[in-house]
Amino acid sequence: MKTATILLAAATLCCMSVSAQVSTMEFDVPIHQMRIYDDVLYVSSDHAISRYQLSENGGFTPYLDADVVVYDFVMYDGRLLEAGTPEEHFVQHPARPWQLFQSAPLPQQAMGYQLRKSANFGGIWWSTDQELQIPGCPQFAFNPRNDDEMLVYGMNEYVDCICPFLLHSTDGLATFESVDMAFDREMTAIYQIAFSPTEDNVLVAATTNGMARSEDGGATWTFTTPELQPPFTQLCFDDMHPNVVFATQVGELPTCICDEVEQVYIVHCSADGGKTWRAIAAFGTPLTYYQSSKPWRHTGCLQGLTCHYGNLYGWADEYIFMVQSPLNLSPIINVIKPVVSGSDSTVYSLQGYKAAQPQTHGIYIRNNKKYAAK
């Protein structure tokens, strides 16, 4: 097995330091999934699964002695389940680790994703009782105050609009109902949703229009960050301080002359359950390209964020980021540039960068509004 090469260093953007409190571990191949079990960080990639003991900082070692691709995985009681295709995903109940959910696209002639569940860690799978066709790749949010309550959400991939969906269940997904979502900003795409650990019916969401908060279980949402800023992509509550939320925003630091272009992420903190926010750290990843099943494609979107014993861990592409003691960091300012400045013709990507015209595919911003080009 080819062992991953790790580099521990302070994250940097071009010629300047981004944040001395952010450590970066560089893998030698793109990461497919990162999970933490019992103070051990596991990473799946084209080189099977590797492990990193967080308490020792001794570097990565192979966990599976095989040079195979592992896209997703879950662990429980010494057992391991792996996903062999990039379209297959596992979700593990945080309070019931033996309870799993699995999603995968339906056959090509059918539109949607099939959702299955298991109560014995994959020994037996059965389909959900309602609406097998989920209209997009499902994500989950679990209520830490009620083990049977959860949300299944995502973006409808089969309509020509920016249309999020939200399904609510109070019986462990034996049944669920659809929730009509109303945002106070138009054309809002959802990246992630989380339950408040301290308040009933309160949810926090990271979206293309900023951070949003709902106090009625997801029916109505109010944004708590300014308009016309780059999107927020990931969020998590602090596992040691339940009213503290962390979120990451696609951003830019002041430009400098450099040979390498980087994607920058700004870490924000809210000490009041998502009502107010302050930027506390930043880190960057080189904008890289690699060959996949599709033509050469750019990656760089932060894929995950979790809090473990008060420290933050995130991953994107070939990099894992560690923000130590984020609550002790001082706020940083002047790190985010406006996305749109009133132009009636300039086109921007969702990350806030000027884009080529005309747009032929994807979602873009023009005249303060989002458009979809196909």
Side-chain angles (χ1 to χ4, degrees):
M1 175 179 176
K2 184 179 178 181
T3 304
T5 301
I6 303 304
L7 174 64
L8 292 175
T12 57
L13 172 68
C14 300
C15 315
M16 59 191 299
S17 173
V18 175
S19 176
Q21 292 84 4
V22 181
S23 298
T24 304
M25 295 186 289
E26 182 179 354
F27 228 61
D28 64 339
V29 292
I31 296 168
H32 300 308
Q33 181 60 273
M34 181 198 79
R35 299 186 187 275
I36 298 176
Y37 294 97
D38 298 326
D39 209 32
V40 178
L41 187 150
Y42 296 86
V43 169
S44 66
S45 69
D46 290 354
H47 300 158
I49 298 177
S50 301
R51 56 179 288 162
Y52 183 92
Q53 184 69 46
L54 296 176
S55 60
E56 298 177 0
N57 296 327
F60 275 90
T61 58
Y63 178 73
L64 291 182
D65 189 16
D67 194 13
V68 297
V69 180
V70 177
Y71 290 99
D72 199 358
F73 66 95
V74 284
M75 297 180 178
Y76 170 66
D77 195 25
R79 290 178 287 171
L80 169 70
L81 284 181
E82 307 167 47
T85 65
E87 294 81 15
E88 180 184 354
H89 298 282
F90 292 120
V91 176
Q92 190 170 27
H93 197 297
R96 303 167 179 164
W98 58 87
Q99 183 175 345
L100 300 178
F101 302 90
Q102 180 194 51
S103 66
L106 290 166
Q108 292 184 356
Q109 62 270 24
M111 294 189 300
Y113 287 72
Q114 184 181 35
L115 189 59
R116 303 194 302 164
K117 58 184 179 181
S118 174
N120 59 356
F121 199 71
I124 299 175
W125 293 94
W126 67 94
S127 299
T128 53
D129 296 334
Q130 293 179 305
E131 300 181 23
L132 295 179
Q133 295 188 28
I134 307 297
C137 185
Q139 299 186 75
F140 282 70
F142 297 92
N143 187 353
R145 297 163 59 87
N146 180 355
D147 291 347
D148 291 321
E149 184 176 10
M150 61 191 69
L151 301 174
V152 179
Y153 63 93
M155 300 300 299
N156 193 323
E157 300 176 11
Y158 305 98
V159 293
D160 190 15
C161 67
I162 299 177
C163 298
F165 66 86
L166 179 66
L167 307 176
H168 178 227
S169 176
T170 58
D171 54 13
L173 213 60
T175 61
F176 50 81
E177 60 181 4
S178 178
V179 178
D180 293 329
M181 307 175 71
F183 290 92
D184 62 353
R185 293 177 188 172
E186 295 181 356
M187 303 183 71
T188 297
I190 298 173
Y191 282 108
Q192 193 169 10
I193 297 176
F195 279 91
S196 167
T198 59
E199 300 179 88
D200 290 331
N201 298 318
V202 173
L203 304 169
V204 180
T207 80
T208 52
N209 277 327
M211 294 301 299
R213 195 172 189 269
S214 173
E215 298 182 354
D216 55 12
T220 59
W221 296 83
T222 301
F223 283 87
T224 56
T225 53
E227 292 189 76
L228 304 181
Q229 288 193 357
F232 286 78
T233 62
Q234 297 289 326
L235 73 96
C236 66
F237 279 85
D238 191 314
D239 61 340
M240 306 295 289
H241 306 88
N243 206 42
V244 173
V245 196
F246 298 104
T248 54
Q249 181 184 25
V250 178
E252 277 187 288
L253 291 182
T255 58
C256 64
I257 299 175
C258 55
D259 296 327
E260 192 173 58
V261 178
E262 296 198 0
Q263 175 66 72
V264 178
Y265 293 93
I266 313 298
V267 180
H268 294 255
C269 177
S270 172
D272 52 15
K275 297 177 183 178
T276 59
W277 297 88
R278 59 188 177 94
I280 59 171
F283 55 88
T285 66
L287 293 180
T288 58
Y289 292 78
Y290 70 92
Q291 184 69 40
S292 67
S293 58
K294 297 181 180 181
W296 289 93
R297 67 183 179 92
H298 163 250
T299 61
C301 181
L302 191 71
Q303 298 295 311
L305 183 72
T306 186
C307 190
H308 182 69
Y309 288 115
N311 297 321
L312 285 175
Y313 298 86
W315 64 278
D317 290 337
E318 302 176 10
Y319 302 89
I320 296 174
F321 307 95
M322 299 182 293
V323 185
Q324 299 178 341
S325 302
L327 287 180
N328 297 330
L329 302 183
S330 300
I332 57 177
I333 59 175
N334 299 326
V335 295
I336 303 172
K337 295 183 178 181
V339 176
V340 181
S341 58
S343 171
D344 59 355
S345 60
T346 306
V347 174
Y348 296 84
S349 69
L350 285 178
Q351 287 76 29
Y353 302 113
K354 288 185 179 180
Q357 299 187 57
Q359 288 291 100
T360 58
H361 65 279
I363 299 172
Y364 62 93
I365 299 174
R366 186 175 64 194
N367 208 19
N368 296 357
K369 294 184 179 180
K370 296 186 182 71
Y371 298 87
K374 290 189 174 182

